[in-house]
């Protein structure tokens, strides 16, 4: 029998001072059995950083042909492709063929090694590559509950995340920008 995903519900109050966005949203996240909590929280934070009304979570790890987040047009064309983790150059190339805007959010301790191996070749693709501070993502992950109210304020290159379980500052470093 296959393992079922674990469902998390987040009520997010979002303040993005970089883009003058002040909104609230509800997000239901299905954590795949093989997905770690830090990866799931990186998805939630990437959702906040790239937030727009049409942004949606995909099936994630259970469907490798899809990104983790996307924006699709009314005619079902992918407008924004967002991957979480350390995708291969082939996956970035594919994403650039399928979407006019591509973002990657790296979040764990091995992202330094991945970036060293990728940085000399990734510039040939129109991909924005970001890195969350791995220690901060890990600390945030230790406070996650199945239902949470989150207040996320984005200013400069920092995300300030507050909940009943604690407050965290997560820095976001842009490694490659094509905007």
């Amino acid at each position: 029998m296959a393992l079922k995903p674990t469902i998390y519900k987040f009520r997010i109050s979002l303040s993005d001072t970089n883009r003058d966005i002040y909104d609230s949203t509800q997000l239901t996240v299905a954590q795949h059995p093989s997905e770690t909590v830090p990866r799931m929280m990186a998805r939630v934070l990437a959702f906040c950083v790239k937030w727009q009304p049409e942004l949606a979570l995909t099936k994630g790890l259970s469907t490798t042909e899809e990104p983790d987040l996307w924006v699709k047009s009314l005619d079902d064309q992918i407008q924004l492709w967002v991957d979480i983790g350390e995708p291969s150059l082939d996956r970035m190339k594919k994403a650039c063929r399928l979407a006019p805007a591509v973002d990657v959010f790296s979040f764990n301790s091995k992202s330094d090694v991945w970036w060293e191996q990728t940085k000399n070749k990734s510039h040939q693709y129109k991909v924005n590559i970001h890195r969350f501070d791995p220690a901060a993502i890990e600390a945030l992950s230790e406070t996650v509950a199945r239902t949470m109210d989150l207040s996320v304020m984005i200013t400069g290159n920092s995300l300030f995340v507050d909940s009943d379980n604690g407050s965290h500052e997560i820095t976001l470093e842009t490694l490659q920008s094509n905007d």
Side-chain angles (χ1 to χ4, degrees):
M1 182 166 91
L3 295 173
K4 297 193 186 271
T6 304
I7 305 299
Y8 289 84
K9 294 184 182 280
F10 299 98
R11 284 185 300 268
I12 300 171
S13 175
L14 178 64
S15 300
D16 186 340
T17 62
N18 298 339
R19 299 188 295 155
D20 290 328
I21 294 174
Y22 306 94
D23 209 340
S24 60
T25 187
Q26 293 190 20
L27 189 61
T28 300
V29 179
Q31 180 192 17
H32 189 274
S34 66
E35 182 177 38
T36 64
V37 174
R39 185 182 191 285
M40 179 189 70
M41 291 312 295
R43 277 199 297 151
V44 170
L45 294 179
F47 185 90
C48 293
V49 170
K50 299 307 292 183
W51 190 90
Q52 54 185 289
E54 304 82 15
L55 185 63
L57 294 167
T58 65
K59 295 178 183 176
L61 291 177
S62 63
T63 308
T64 58
E65 296 302 310
E66 295 179 355
D68 291 290
L69 307 167
W70 63 15
V71 172
K72 290 182 111 180
S73 63
L74 294 176
D75 63 351
D76 210 33
Q77 298 297 310
I78 301 171
Q79 299 301 306
L80 172 63
W81 177 293
V82 179
D83 265 339
I84 308 300
E86 294 80 30
S88 67
L89 288 167
D90 287 341
R91 183 163 173 89
M92 285 190 261
K93 180 179 179 181
K94 172 188 173 182
C96 289
R97 281 195 319 264
L98 296 174
V102 178
D103 282 84
V104 171
F105 289 86
S106 178
F107 66 93
N108 63 37
S109 58
K110 64 183 176 181
S111 67
D112 290 335
V113 174
W114 169 81
W115 180 240
E116 284 302 315
Q117 295 170 346
T118 306
K119 69 181 178 183
N120 292 330
K121 296 179 183 171
S122 64
H123 66 276
Q124 62 188 321
Y125 305 116
K126 190 175 180 194
V127 178
N128 297 310
I129 301 176
H130 315 277
R131 177 173 41 206
F132 289 118
D133 175 28
I137 291 286
E138 194 66 42
L140 173 64
S141 299
E142 292 172 6
T143 65
V144 171
R146 296 277 297 274
T147 302
M148 289 184 80
D149 290 329
L150 295 177
S151 174
V152 180
M153 184 176 86
I154 303 168
T155 184
N157 65 341
S158 293
L159 287 81
F160 297 93
V161 181
D162 290 316
S163 73
D164 290 341
N165 300 338
S167 298
H168 304 275
E169 178 181 357
I170 296 122
T171 57
L172 178 64
E173 178 184 4
T174 299
L175 303 174
Q176 176 175 304
S177 178
N178 287 299
D179 290 336

